[in-house]
Amino acid sequence: MALRTPYLLFIGDAPDQLAAKTADGIAFWRPEICLGQLRLPGCKADLRLPDMNIEEAAAAGVKTVIVGTTNRGGVLGEGWEPLLVRALELGMDLAAGLHHRLADIPVLRDAASRHGRQISDVRHPTREFAVGNGIKRPGKRLLTVGTDCSIGKMFTALALEKEMRARGLKADFRATGQTGIFIAGDGVSIDAVVSDFVSGSVEWLCPANDPDHWDLIEGQGSLFHASYAGVTLGLIHGAQPDALVMCHEPTRKHMRGLPQYPLPDLKLCVERNVEAAQLTNPAACCFGVSVNTAGLDAGAARDYLRRTEDQLGLPVIDPVRTGVGTIVDRLLG
């Protein structure tokens, strides 16, 4: 379904900025269609948009309320339903990327039907996919991978697309998660695909293309994350990447949501991801590392990037602080 714009981004009582990453990504990459944010008491995220309630959003001309927070397990927060019903009553549509479909909640489904409104659950594919076949196809593909979840894989892929297009190259961002779909307008939410068909869905998402065309594929999860390694592996095999870019955050103390698991060694993570990718593309290799240095001051960030680059022999950048140009230079090498 086509989503009506502009948006109100509903982030509920998100406990931190990462919990609102869906809304945060939309606000960063598509600010021109985001009129405001709706936060509940206790919310610790901020999208740097005007705060609005449902009535104010309707008066401002909002057309779609997007549930832009990510709860563990992808469910709707307790007590959120009345707010969303009110949005439908005031003529706004609803959209979400949760595992739990809004359209399956009776009170929302009935209200949407009663008021002639649309509910879009973008996380759930609307078509079937074949199993992956691993057959080599023309075109070039880059996949962002990571040492952990929620670590900058989508941001890095979008930054690479922007840089490559600015240089006149053929490049397209391929969304594999709900936030990317809201930004790009299409894609496949890989973690909602039945496991046997994950690699096939990625083959469908980035099919044969011109020899000089780059698909920049948004990574998901991490091979080292006990909860989500399965979807990561299927994505790697289906992408058949010519190039990998490893994403990392050096200030994290443990894997997200798993305090008993420390972050993996960066060099080992690069090696394991390349090894996995070479099943369907024997020529796959890592072309750079994208680091989120937001937790470091400018000097410490500069030192970390330089030191890591020396250790790995790869371009190591922060897409916000330094841009991704040196990775693109190496791709074109």
Side-chain angles (χ1 to χ4, degrees), residues 47-197:
L47 309 176
R48 301 162 297 280
L49 294 170
D51 286 297
M52 295 181 176
N53 60 33
I54 291 295
E55 287 74 17
E56 290 168 339
V62 164
K63 300 301 183 185
T64 301
V65 176
I66 293 181
V67 179
T69 185
T70 305
N71 294 337
R72 188 168 175 83
V75 298
L76 197 64
E78 184 177 354
W80 294 2
E81 293 175 11
L83 285 169
L84 300 182
V85 168
R86 183 61 176 153
L88 294 166
E89 292 172 345
L90 291 177
M92 292 176 278
D93 297 333
L94 301 179
L98 302 173
H99 286 295
H100 189 187
R101 299 172 193 253
L102 296 186
D104 287 344
I105 300 174
V107 66
L108 299 182
R109 183 180 62 243
D110 294 345
S113 177
R114 188 165 61 250
H115 297 284
R117 302 271 44 92
Q118 173 178 286
I119 296 178
S120 301
D121 289 297
V122 304
R123 192 180 209 120
H124 301 272
T126 56
R127 56 157 294 144
E128 294 183 349
F129 302 102
V131 297
N133 56 40
I135 297 173
K136 181 66 176 175
R137 54 201 190 274
K140 297 180 182 295
R141 291 164 194 87
L142 180 149
L143 174 66
T144 53
V145 291
T147 54
D148 194 10
C149 303
S150 304
I151 208 159
K153 295 182 286 292
M154 181 194 75
F155 192 100
T156 299
L158 283 162
L160 286 164
E161 179 198 47
K162 183 177 180 179
E163 175 71 18
M164 294 174 82
R165 285 186 172 184
R167 298 189 188 196
L169 302 172
K170 300 177 185 177
D172 287 299
F173 169 73
R174 302 300 186 189
T176 63
Q178 69 273 19
T179 308
I181 292 171
F182 283 128
I183 293 167
D186 60 13
V188 177
S189 191
I190 296 300
D191 62 4
V193 176
V194 175
S195 59
D196 276 1
F197 305 99

Side-chain angles (χ1 to χ4, degrees), residues 244-259:
L244 297 173
V245 172
M246 178 61 62
C247 301
H248 182 57
E249 185 180 332
T251 52
R252 289 200 185 182
K253 304 301 183 185
H254 56 76
M255 303 295 280
R256 183 159 173 80
L258 298 176

